[in-house]
Structures are given as structure tokens and as C-alpha cells.
Amino acid sequence: MRALAEFIMRGRMQAIVVVAGCAALPMLFWLSAAAGSLVLLRRGLNDALGVLVWAVLPALVWWYFGDPRTLLVLLGSFGLALLLRNQSSWSRVMLCSVGLGLLYAWALGMVFGEPIAALATELQKVLPDMLSDAYQQLSVDEQARLGALLAPVLTGLLAGLLQITTLLSLMLGRYWQALLYNPGGFGLEFRSLRFSALPAMVLLMGMLLGPSLGVQVAMLAPLCSVPLVFAGIALVHGLVAKNRMSRFWLVGLYVTLVLFMQLIYPLLAVVAIVDSLFDFRGRASRDDDAGPANGEG
């Protein structure tokens, strides 16, 4: 990864080759977004614009052929990278990713509205078998409302996946920047990610009350969960680093997250909410040797 980052930052032509080539290849748009984010984070918008436009061109071609994901993730990553460069606040980046997820949901609904509706219809047919007695205890109106929520929630889940991809691409770009110019800086930044009580409660309300506020607002539930889960992961990283614990705990976290997603994912969100109230990491002194991840502090 370091060799690729060094190649990207070697010159404008090398950066264009990576961002344009990865954007043109199937399933590598995340790497193009990370490379473009690295250039933008290090060089700024004016210097990076001549590189980023070459990533957008193949993304527009993908959209023309019916796949908007490449363009959405690229533009989303670049926008959040610009915000991170200007404000150096991961909590604000995470909060803004919710709005970005809403834009993703709108675009996905425009392009994939019919397939999502068809999938929701098929899911509605199997709901009685999936929920068993619980479904039978619902009234006719409640069953109809549950069926109406399927399409927005599915759209929100797809948008949430793109939201996660966007954030991971940005993190990879920020990690590359720290690796080249200030090793250890990204770890310090990420481990300090924490929401104060008010934003955490707003995200919680979006998760819990979204489906009850309206059919279209239901897509807020998966989108609001993403920042909290990242904050929960950052908390675990912070506690492991502060207490000088073995990396085995981090490996275990990611293994269980993959194997038991339905259990660990909401648990991380809950832990992040509790941390916003009690601050488990405390006011630990910062490592003066690391500094900001951009290497310019």
C-alpha cells in the first residue's frame, strides 16, 4: 500500500493513471476514491482538480450504462476529503456522511427504483414465514405499513453500504497521507473519534424514530447508524491503545463483526452512544510525537 501511495504522489501523471484506471475498472472505484482523496487532502482542491476530473469521466460513463455507484462514491469521498482538510474533524465528517447517504438514497431510488420495489414485493410475500406468530399478531393496517416500509429501508441499506464505502475510501486516503508524511497520525485521529451527547442523541433518534415518522424517512435508520458504529470501533481502538492491550482484541473485533454482524453492529452503536455520555477514554493526554495526520501541523 505504501508503494502505491508513493506512486500516486510522485506526480500528476501517475495520480491520473491510478484514479482514472481504477474508476474505469469494475469494483475498483473505492481505490480510485481513496487515491483522489489522498491527492485532495495533501494538495488542496485547486491543485487536485486536474487529477480528480479524470476520475469523474469514467464514472460518468458507468452512470450512462446504469451504474451510479462509481460517481456517487467518488464525489462523496472528494467532498468529505475537502471537509476533513478544512476542519480536521472526523466527527463532522461522520455527521455529514448521513446527508450524503440521503443523496445516495435519492440517486439509487431514481436509477434502481423498479428493482428495489420488486425485491420489496418478494420480501413482503415471505414476511409471514420469517416473522411467524409475530406477523400474525399485527393488525391489517400494521401489516400494510410494514410492507410499505420495505422499499425505503432497502434503499437506505444500499445507500448505507455506499456511505460506508465512501468513509472507508476516505480513511484509506487519510491513512496513506499519514503513512507518507506523518506515521501514526491517522491512528491518533481515528482513536479520538467521539460524538458529544447531542449529536449522538440526534443519531439515535434518527435510528429509532425514522420508521415511525414516515415511509420515506425510514431510510434514515441505517444511515444514522453508520457514524455511531464507526465511533464504536474508534472507542475499541482507543481503549486498546490506551491500555496497551494486545492487537488480538482488534482482530477479534473485526472477526466477530464479520461473523456476527447482526449482533455486533448494533452493539457498537450502543457503545458509542454510552461513550458520548461517559467518555470511557477520558481526557487522556495526546501523543505529542504524532501530530495531525496531514503532516503539516
Side-chain angles (χ1 to χ4, degrees):
M1 281 294 187
R2 182 186 181 94
L4 179 58
E6 290 176 342
F7 178 80
I8 294 169
M9 297 306 296
R10 192 172 300 167
R12 182 181 297 270
M13 185 56 63
Q14 289 86 344
I16 290 174
V17 168
V18 175
V19 299
C22 292
L25 294 174
M27 303 308 295
L28 283 182
F29 56 87
W30 58 272
L31 191 56
S32 175
S37 297
L38 169 61
V39 177
L40 181 55
L41 286 168
R42 184 62 183 175
R43 302 299 184 191
L45 181 60
N46 291 334
D47 290 344
L49 197 57
V51 173
L52 303 183
V53 69
W54 288 98
V56 173
L57 291 178
L60 289 172
V61 175
W62 279 111
W63 188 303
Y64 176 79
F65 286 106
D67 187 355
R69 294 174 302 170
T70 300
L71 184 62
L72 293 177
V73 171
L74 286 178
L75 295 181
S77 297
F78 300 159
L80 294 182
L82 186 61
L83 175 65
L84 181 61
R85 175 180 169 84
N86 292 335
Q87 301 192 9
S88 298
S89 172
W90 276 105
S91 59
R92 292 183 181 179
V93 168
M94 293 291 170
L95 292 174
C96 288
S97 74
V98 177
L100 197 62
L102 290 174
L103 291 177
Y104 289 170
W106 172 80
L108 291 173
M110 293 289 291
V111 178
F112 299 122
E114 292 184 3
I116 291 174
L119 178 59
T121 301
E122 294 301 319
L123 285 176
Q124 190 171 3
K125 294 178 181 178
V126 300
L127 277 180
D129 295 331
M130 293 174 59
L131 302 181
S132 188
D133 294 338
Y135 185 83
Q136 301 301 329
Q137 294 175 1
L138 298 175
S139 65
V140 176
D141 291 340
E142 291 173 335
Q143 292 178 2
R145 179 174 177 79
L146 180 60
L149 289 174
L150 288 177
V153 170
L154 285 174
T155 304
L157 287 173
L158 293 175
L161 289 175
L162 290 183
Q163 180 185 0
I164 292 172
T165 303
T166 299
L167 289 170
L168 290 177
S169 298
L170 175 60
M171 288 181 176
L172 179 57
R174 189 65 157 178
Y175 168 75
W176 280 342
Q177 184 186 19
L179 188 65
L180 294 178
Y181 306 107
N182 187 26
F186 173 73
L188 179 65
E189 276 190 351
F190 182 67
R191 289 192 296 269
S192 66
L193 170 60
R194 175 181 173 269
F195 293 110
S196 58
L198 180 58
M201 292 301 107
V202 171
L203 292 172
L204 177 61
M205 291 301 100
M207 291 173 55
L208 298 181
L209 300 182
S212 63
L213 295 177
V215 173
Q216 294 303 321
V217 188
M219 64 180 62
L220 271 176
L223 300 179
C224 289
S225 70
V226 172
L228 292 173
V229 170
F230 274 102
I233 294 174
L235 170 62
V236 176
H237 276 263
L239 293 176
V240 168
K242 181 181 178 182
N243 298 313
R244 302 182 184 277
M245 299 166 64
S246 170
R247 289 182 178 270
F248 168 80
W249 293 99
L250 298 179
V251 174
L253 168 66
Y254 290 110
V255 170
T256 53
L257 182 58
V258 172
L259 296 179
F260 306 102
M261 175 74 72
Q262 294 179 339
L263 174 64
I264 302 301
Y265 188 93
L267 180 60
L268 287 171
V270 171
V271 167
I273 294 170
V274 176
D275 181 56
S276 71
L277 300 175
F278 297 101
D279 191 8
F280 294 128
R281 284 159 288 190
R283 299 182 180 274
S285 60
R286 295 188 176 184
D287 186 353
D288 295 332
D289 294 331
N294 57 21
E296 298 172 354

